[in-house]
Amino acid sequence: MGTLINAAAVIVGALLGIVFKRGLPEKLQKALMLAMGLGLFVLAFRWFLKDFNELERLDFRGIDLLVLFSLVIGTLLGEWWDIDDRLNTFALKVEKRYRLPPLAKGFVAGTLIFCVGAMAIIGPIQDAVHGEMTTLLIKSILDFVTAMVLATVFGFGVVFAAGSVLVYQGTIMLLAMWSAAFLAPELIHSISMIGNVLLIAMAIRFVEIKQIRVANMLPALLIPI
């Protein structure tokens, strides 16, 4: 249920953003992207430190090596599979087939932001294992605001990112229900920590310091397993 609320929040927020975009000058759109990038950086860094400290409390050895190893191996796999290009190609095909306005950037950016963070991982697990939706409800509020801001810049493509939320978080929830007895806190925090590193990379991309192909880093989330 929490994932359905989250996806609905993305759709409503994106649609409102599209309405507001009509009267939003380009200068203000860039300013909003910069503000969101900085905010995302601060939040992701804070969440990363929280997971890092939690792993230290659990006496989990080799945290530094885990982060480095996960990012290096995950990025190598992502570049090999060229996930970023495949996501963009898929979005462009949908755009041409249904004669939609440019949506590739909005779809990819929305998918990465809504699906990569710690809350997108921990929320569905809590919902599946404990029936606790608090994390997903908080994430829904954050995603509603984020979708509205993204849509003022990228347009209709952000709406399609709601589908990514349903598939991604729904899959995590089903897997968590199936393997609840085997999930260790160390594994959850490790995956969450790597996810927050990818969010930091996305924030760097938003403030236009460097155009990092974050989608090609997504396999890093699987390495801690």
Side-chain angles (χ1 to χ4, degrees):
M1 186 64 180
T3 295
L4 292 175
I5 294 173
N6 196 173
V10 170
I11 293 172
V12 175
L15 292 175
L16 286 175
I18 292 169
V19 173
F20 293 149
K21 182 180 180 180
R22 296 174 182 174
L24 204 63
E26 184 179 351
K27 183 179 179 180
L28 185 54
Q29 291 180 28
K30 289 184 177 180
L32 287 173
M33 285 296 291
L34 177 62
M36 192 174 68
L38 291 173
L40 182 61
F41 182 91
V42 172
L43 287 174
F45 186 68
R46 179 183 168 224
W47 291 333
F48 172 85
L49 290 178
K50 183 178 179 182
D51 285 315
F52 189 91
N53 291 333
E54 188 64 27
L55 285 173
E56 282 194 326
R57 188 187 68 79
L58 294 169
D59 197 27
F60 185 79
R61 308 282 176 89
I63 306 174
D64 300 330
L65 287 176
L66 174 67
V67 174
L68 182 61
F69 183 76
S70 297
L71 291 173
V72 170
I73 300 301
T75 301
L76 283 174
L77 290 173
E79 288 291 336
W80 180 33
W81 296 328
D82 204 0
I83 298 172
D84 188 89
D85 184 64
R86 291 175 186 274
L87 279 174
N88 278 288
T89 300
F90 169 74
L92 288 171
K93 283 182 178 178
V94 174
E95 177 185 319
K96 291 179 180 178
R97 181 174 180 178
Y98 297 102
R99 297 179 182 178
L100 297 170
L103 56 77
K105 289 184 179 179
F107 171 73
V108 173
T111 295
L112 291 173
I113 290 178
F114 303 142
C115 297
V116 170
M119 300 176 91
I121 298 169
I122 294 177
I125 293 175
Q126 290 177 335
D127 196 3
V129 178
H130 305 296
E132 175 59 60
M133 292 196 305
T134 303
T135 300
L136 283 179
L137 292 177
I138 294 173
K139 181 178 182 291
S140 297
I141 296 171
L142 293 173
D143 287 354
F144 172 81
V145 176
T146 304
M148 191 161 56
V149 174
L150 276 179
T152 61
V153 179
F154 293 125
F156 201 75
V158 182
V159 176
F160 287 87
S164 301
V165 172
L166 280 175
V167 173
Y168 180 74
Q169 293 182 185
T171 301
I172 292 175
M173 185 173 178
L174 290 174
L175 289 174
M177 292 172 67
W178 174 71
S179 60
F182 308 102
L183 287 175
E186 292 87 351
L187 176 60
I188 296 173
H189 287 293
S190 297
I191 296 173
S192 174
M193 185 173 60
I194 302 302
N196 287 321
V197 174
L198 301 194
L199 272 183
I200 291 172
M202 195 67 199
I204 292 173
R205 180 172 176 171
F206 274 2
V207 298
E208 298 184 351
I209 296 176
K210 184 175 178 61
Q211 289 300 308
I212 303 173
R213 301 209 301 171
V214 184
N216 283 353
M217 302 170 71
L218 287 175
L221 292 168
L222 301 175
I223 305 303
I225 298 175

